[in-house]
Amino acid sequence: MLAYAFLAPSLLLFGVFMFYPLLRSVYLSLYSTDPAGRVASFVGAENFTALFSSGLFLDGIRVTVLFALLTVPAGMLLALVLAALTHNLLRGKRLFQFAFSLPMVLSVGSAAVIWKFLFHPSLGMLNYGLELAGFAPVPWLTSPKWALFSISLMTVWMNLGFNYIVISSGMQGIPDDMYESAKIGGAGPVAMFRQITIPLLSPTLFFVLVVSIISAFQSFGQINILTQGGPMDSTNVFVYSIYREAFVNFRFGTGSAQALLLFVVIMLLTLIQFKWIERKVHYQ
């Protein structure tokens, strides 16, 4: 009984904030709702078939996959390079670690407001810098060609703190005697990074990869503040499409169906990563 008493708070939180919303989404996905959002009639799988026939599901997945491709590799590579550059620093190491980890302490809303000023077409610092360098100003958030790239740029910066801390911590766990042995054997910095650091860091990189892909598929706050899915749905990722369908158009049935499909997509992607990519991971 004592064990169940300790587990009760966690089970209560899981039940209220995870299992009940999941079961409620399954229920609502089988019903249509009236303009006020109230359950109107049972429609079975029509909400799911409507998503595929209207192209809403495929468009949302296309934008979300493109967003993940723009943010995940760039975010991991940038954090890996910065962690490698600061790993062996003798002076100023703490200062660089503090600076690179700083984005993690900001909320998504605060970071999005900061970048909204930076992206401003006439008053923003980014266009000011481009004009000083002799380039034409860029319509960062108002052009369909640039909007998703701009959101991705902000997201890479926002995720840099978490990625940097995790990868840097992984590097700290690599034994120094392995590098000393490699130096005695005549290996250079590039060879040591490729043959020692990357293999021993692969469990950490795999963890960051899985978390980053899930985070990319669940991104919402920065898109809601900066572009609200526009212009011309160029940044209408899947989660924002769910929000607009359920809480703007009050079509909770279709929104719930989208949420369940997103759950399936993320679960499949995670299983694929554990099935295929984990084989490349070297556990000590």
Side-chain angles (χ1 to χ4, degrees):
M1 288 300 294
L2 183 62
Y4 288 109
F6 281 112
L7 283 174
S10 299
L11 293 176
L12 180 63
L13 290 175
F14 275 112
V16 172
F17 295 106
M18 292 190 64
F19 298 124
Y20 173 73
L22 177 62
L23 295 175
R24 184 69 177 172
S25 296
V26 173
Y27 169 76
L28 288 175
S29 68
L30 302 176
Y31 286 83
S32 65
T33 53
D34 61 19
R38 293 171 297 207
V39 173
S41 60
F42 179 78
V43 296
E46 285 186 12
N47 287 327
F48 294 94
T49 56
L51 286 176
F52 287 99
S53 60
S54 66
L56 196 61
F57 173 75
L58 295 178
D59 288 342
I61 285 296
R62 179 184 60 79
V63 176
T64 306
V65 169
L66 185 57
F67 176 72
L69 291 175
L70 287 172
T71 56
V72 176
M76 290 185 62
L77 182 62
L78 181 60
L80 178 63
V81 170
L82 293 177
L85 291 175
T86 57
H87 180 59
N88 292 319
L89 279 181
L90 298 178
R91 301 179 63 181
K93 184 176 181 178
R94 297 295 181 190
L95 178 63
F96 284 111
Q97 289 177 334
F98 171 75
F100 297 146
S101 307
L102 195 58
M104 197 174 67
V105 303
L106 293 176
S107 66
V108 177
S110 302
V113 171
I114 293 172
W115 279 86
K116 193 168 188 177
F117 284 110
L118 294 176
F119 285 136
H120 194 279
S122 57
L123 302 176
M125 291 297 294
L126 295 179
N127 275 348
Y128 179 72
L130 288 176
E131 290 178 357
L132 287 180
F135 295 98
V138 172
W140 297 101
L141 300 176
T142 56
S143 168
K145 294 181 180 178
W146 284 95
L148 189 63
F149 174 79
S150 304
I151 297 286
S152 303
L153 183 65
M154 178 257 170
T155 304
V156 168
W157 174 83
M158 191 176 65
N159 294 337
L160 177 63
F162 175 78
N163 292 348
Y164 173 79
I165 287 177
V166 174
I167 293 176
S168 183
S169 301
M171 285 186 177
Q172 299 290 337
I174 299 176
D176 291 334
D177 54 355
M178 300 193 70
Y179 291 110
E180 297 298 329
S181 301
K183 284 181 182 177
I184 295 172
V190 176
M192 287 192 289
F193 182 77
R194 185 164 51 88
Q195 297 176 1
I196 297 177
T197 304
I198 293 297
L200 295 182
L201 198 61
S202 56
T204 305
L205 294 176
F206 178 68
F207 167 75
V208 174
L209 175 67
V210 173
V211 172
S212 298
I213 289 179
I214 293 175
S215 175
F217 272 76
Q218 293 179 333
S219 295
F220 169 76
Q222 64 270 44
I223 294 163
N224 184 40
I225 294 174
L226 292 177
T227 61
Q228 296 184 336
M232 298 174 64
D233 288 338
S234 60
T235 60
N236 189 25
V237 296
F238 210 75
V239 173
Y240 189 80
S241 178
I242 294 172
Y243 162 76
R244 191 158 62 181
E245 194 72 6
F247 299 104
V248 177
N249 300 325
F250 294 105
R251 290 195 284 261
F252 290 103
T254 314
S256 299
Q258 282 184 276
L260 292 176
L261 288 175
L262 177 63
F263 169 75
V264 173
V265 168
I266 291 177
M267 185 177 65
L268 289 177
L269 281 176
T270 306
L271 290 176
I272 289 171
Q273 290 174 84
F274 275 91
K275 178 72 175 177
W276 300 104
I277 301 179
E278 197 185 21
R279 295 179 178 177
K280 307 293 183 183
V281 175
H282 298 272
Y283 293 104
Q284 294 185 29

